[in-house]
Amino acid sequence: PNESGEDESLTTEEQPAIENTEEESPTTEEPSPTESTEDQPLRAQDFYQRAMDHVQKNDLKNALADCSAAIELEPENIEFMVVRAEILSEMRRLDEALADCAKILKLDVNNAPARLVRARDHEFNGEFDKSLLELNECIERNPRSVDAYKARREFFARQNRRDDAIADSDRIIQLQ
């Protein structure tokens, strides 16, 4: 109340649209990654950056959780999906990694990182022909991708195809 005894607080008509409820009141807790907020792109980026920090520490479980939270907020962000596919592949959760790669390639058929993850996962599954087909497709779609040639060179080396590995090494040198 003021000096004249009147209450100076806002009337219900003057109060902001957001009511002060327990769910909406400011807290020090992190909001759920699935909550809708005006700063979704920034928040998704925050989760993604934290995921990358976990990857640097080889904390793949937490990296996967944060990367998935970023994807929940930006479900068509290819960069986030590629990183999650790579994390899943490292965790040997190959079916999930391959599923993420399929989603990525529906959005961007030329995405080299997704094709490289798929090639590696096919090789992990013992599907060497599929792996080589994926590597060749990646190179065909991205002929200047040094990473694609390096991946295929390493594949050839593991398969004791030395001449093919040397040919890819020569191509890498030309591209660099």
Side-chain angles (χ1 to χ4, degrees):
N2 63 16
E3 293 175 10
S4 63
E6 295 177 25
D7 190 359
E8 289 184 344
S9 64
L10 297 174
T11 65
T12 54
E13 293 129 27
E14 296 172 321
Q15 289 181 349
I18 298 176
E19 294 179 20
N20 194 12
T21 66
E22 190 174 318
E23 290 178 353
E24 295 174 346
S25 65
T27 65
T28 57
E29 293 178 30
E30 280 285 315
S32 165
T34 57
E35 284 182 15
S36 179
T37 63
E38 289 181 8
D39 61 346
Q40 281 183 353
L42 177 62
R43 289 197 12 79
Q45 188 63 39
D46 290 341
F47 280 109
Y48 174 74
Q49 186 55 56
R50 195 165 67 182
M52 296 307 294
D53 292 342
H54 288 305
V55 167
Q56 291 294 318
K57 296 180 203 170
N58 203 31
D59 180 1
L60 299 180
K61 181 181 174 187
N62 285 319
L64 177 60
D66 282 336
C67 200
S68 294
I71 292 169
E72 283 183 44
L73 295 170
E74 290 187 29
E76 292 192 1
N77 186 309
I78 291 174
E79 181 182 7
F80 298 170
M81 287 191 285
V82 166
V83 170
R84 185 170 72 180
E86 291 170 343
I87 293 167
L88 288 165
S89 180
E90 285 294 318
M91 296 173 82
R92 299 301 190 262
R93 292 170 60 176
L94 305 181
D95 290 340
E96 293 168 86
L98 289 168
D100 272 2
C101 289
K103 290 176 192 173
I104 294 163
L105 293 171
K106 282 183 182 178
L107 296 170
D108 176 10
V109 71
N110 295 320
N111 190 280
R115 289 196 179 278
L116 296 178
V117 170
R118 269 190 7 176
R120 183 178 58 198
D121 290 353
H122 286 312
E123 187 175 359
F124 286 152
N125 280 332
E127 301 168 321
F128 302 111
D129 290 341
K130 282 184 177 181
S131 180
L132 183 55
L133 285 172
E134 197 67 57
L135 290 166
N136 289 338
E137 181 74 14
C138 184
I139 288 170
E140 184 178 314
R141 292 178 178 277
N142 304 280
R144 302 203 51 81
S145 172
V146 171
D147 289 339
Y149 280 101
K150 285 180 178 179
R152 191 172 71 175
R153 177 191 63 195
E154 292 166 8
F155 173 84
F156 285 146
R158 287 188 296 274
Q159 300 298 313
N160 293 316
R161 294 176 57 177
R162 302 286 181 227
D163 290 341
D164 292 325
I166 290 168
D168 278 351
S169 290
D170 291 342
R171 183 67 179 137
I172 291 165
I173 290 167
Q174 291 171 357
L175 290 172
Q176 292 179 335

